[in-house]
C-alpha cells in the first residue's frame, strides 16, 4: 500500500562522505520533490522534477544534487555532507501542478 | 517570499475541545493546502482549498479561506489525543514562473491532552 517510499529511514554518514538518499513512488505521478526539514522548522524545497525537467531552487547549495532515472525513482545526492546538513529529508510527489503532494516517511540524516 | 505564517506556534488543549489554527500569506494564491505531521514522520495531506472557495469540510476538519485578508484557518472539532501533531499550511504563488512550487509555513504544534 505504500505509495511514496524512502530508503533508508535513518542514515548516518561522516563529515565529507558522499551519501545518497532514495525515493520511489507507485503513483505514477509526474512531479517529484525533495525537501529538507530541520527541527521545528518548515519543510524547505530543495528541487523538484516535472517529468525529466529539473528545477533547482536558487538557494539550494551546489552540494545537493538530484537524479531521476525514471518516473518511479528519484535520488538525492549530498556530495560532501557538513554538520549543518543533518536534517529530515522528505520526498513528495504530485500528479501535476498545484495538486496535492503525497509525502514519504522521510529519511533522517545524521552527520558525524 | 510567499511563505505562510501559522499562528499560534503552539497550542495545548484538552481532549474534546476544538482547536483553531491560522495561516497568513503574502501574495495571491491559486490554492492553499493543510498538512499534518506526526513527530519524526512525513507530512499527510488534509485539505486543499482553491482561491474561489471559502470553506471546505472533511470529517472533523473545517478549513476557511479569506483571500481579501490573505488568511486561512483550520478548525479541528472534538479533538482527540491522536490529533497531537504539527500542522502546516502550504501555498502556491501564481506570480512565480514555476507553478509546481509550494511554500510551507512554520507550523502550529498541537498537543491534545487526554
Amino acid at each position: 500500500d505504500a505509495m511514496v517510499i524512502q530508503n533508508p529511514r535513518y542514515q548516518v554518514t561522516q563529515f565529507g562522505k558522499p551519501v545518497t538518499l532514495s525515493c520511489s513512488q507507485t503513483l505514477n505521478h509526474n512531479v517529484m520533490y525533495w525537501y529538507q526539514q530541520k527541527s521545528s522548522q518548515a519543510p524547505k524545497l530543495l528541487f523538484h522534477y516535472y517529468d525529466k525537467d529539473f528545477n533547482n531552487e536558487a538557494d539550494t547549495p551546489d552540494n545537493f544534487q538530484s537524479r531521476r532515472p525514471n518516473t518511479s525513482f528519484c535520488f538525492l545526492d549530498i556530495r560532501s555532507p557538513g554538520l549543518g546538513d543533518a536534517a529530515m529529508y522528505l520526498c513528495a510527489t504530485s500528479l501535476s501542478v498545484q495538486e496535492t503532494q503525497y509525502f514519504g516517511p522521510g529519511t533522517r540524516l545524521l552527520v558525524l | 517570499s510567499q511563505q505562510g505564517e501559522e499562528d499560534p506556534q503552539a497550542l495545548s488543549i484538552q481532549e474534546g475541545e476544538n482547536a483553531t489554527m491560522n495561516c497568513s500569506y503574502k501574495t495571491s494564491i491559486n490554492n492553499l493546502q493543510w498538512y499534518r505531521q506526526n513527530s519524526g514522520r512525513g507530512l499527510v495531506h488534509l485539505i486543499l482549498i482553491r482561491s474561489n472557495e471559502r470553506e471546505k469540510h472533511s470529517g472533523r476538519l473545517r478549513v476557511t479561506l479569506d483571500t481579501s485578508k490573505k488568511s486561512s484557518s483550520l478548525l479541528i472539532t472534538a479533538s482527540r489525543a491522536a490529533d497531537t501533531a504539527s500542522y502546516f499550511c502550504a501555498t502556491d504563488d501564481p506570480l512565480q514562473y514555476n507553478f509546481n512550487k509550494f511554500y510551507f509555513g512554520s507550523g502550529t504544534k498541537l498537543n491534545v491532552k487526554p
Side-chain angles (χ1 to χ4, degrees):
Chain A
D1 290 327
M3 296 183 289
V4 183
I5 303 161
Q6 290 188 245
N7 286 305
R9 294 291 310 278
Y10 299 91
Q11 176 74 56
V12 181
T13 191
Q14 291 179 328
F15 183 94
K17 185 175 180 181
V19 65
T20 294
L21 310 182
S22 74
C23 177
S24 63
Q25 55 137 335
T26 60
L27 298 164
N28 205 34
H29 281 174
N30 296 310
V31 193
M32 294 188 77
Y33 307 81
W34 278 105
Y35 290 88
Q36 178 193 65
Q37 186 181 27
K38 297 190 176 179
S39 182
S40 300
Q41 294 185 20
K44 179 180 179 299
L45 182 63
L46 296 174
F47 25 58
H48 74 277
Y49 277 92
Y50 191 100
D51 289 332
K52 294 183 179 181
D53 184 23
F54 177 70
N55 297 272
N56 197 30
E57 290 298 294
D59 57 355
T60 297
D62 292 339
N63 198 25
F64 291 84
Q65 304 286 320
S66 186
R67 296 170 283 136
R68 188 178 186 185
N70 53 53
T71 300
S72 300
F73 286 87
C74 194
F75 300 98
L76 169 61
D77 301 308
I78 309 176
R79 292 193 294 188
S80 182
L83 298 179
D85 296 328
M88 173 77 89
Y89 290 88
L90 297 165
C91 173
T93 74
S94 65
L95 179 61
S96 186
V97 301
Q98 300 174 358
E99 295 296 331
T100 299
Q101 293 186 36
Y102 295 84
F103 282 81
T107 293
R108 185 167 293 282
L109 178 69
L110 181 62
V111 182
L112 301 177
Chain B
S1 72
Q2 174 65 307
Q3 187 172 2
E5 294 285 337
E6 278 96 338
D7 170 59
Q9 289 187 334
L11 181 61
S12 185
I13 59 174
Q14 291 293 139
E15 205 165 29
E17 294 180 340
N18 295 343
T20 300
M21 290 158 266
N22 303 295
C23 170
S24 59
Y25 55 92
K26 295 178 181 174
T27 69
S28 62
I29 60 170
N30 286 321
N31 67 56
L32 182 147
Q33 304 183 43
W34 283 93
Y35 289 82
R36 183 186 75 230
Q37 184 178 34
N38 291 88
S39 180
R41 306 297 297 272
L43 281 76
V44 174
H45 179 258
L46 297 175
I47 288 183
L48 181 153
I49 187 165
R50 302 197 186 276
S51 59
N52 61 353
E53 298 174 313
R54 291 297 167 257
E55 189 170 309
K56 285 190 86 167
H57 296 256
S58 176
R60 294 182 296 111
L61 307 180
R62 173 176 162 248
V63 168
T64 61
L65 179 64
D66 187 336
T67 53
S68 66
K69 295 181 179 177
K70 293 187 173 59
S71 68
S72 174
S73 67
L74 169 66
L75 169 68
I76 304 174
T77 59
S79 63
R80 304 167 182 168
D83 295 327
T84 294
S86 291
Y87 291 82
F88 294 90
C89 68
T91 54
D92 63 359
D93 186 350
L95 297 180
Q96 292 288 321
Y97 171 75
N98 192 314
F99 296 158
N100 294 326
K101 298 198 297 187
F102 286 90
Y103 300 87
F104 282 85
S106 52
T108 292
K109 189 169 287 190
L110 174 66
N111 179 35
V112 181
K113 293 177 282 188

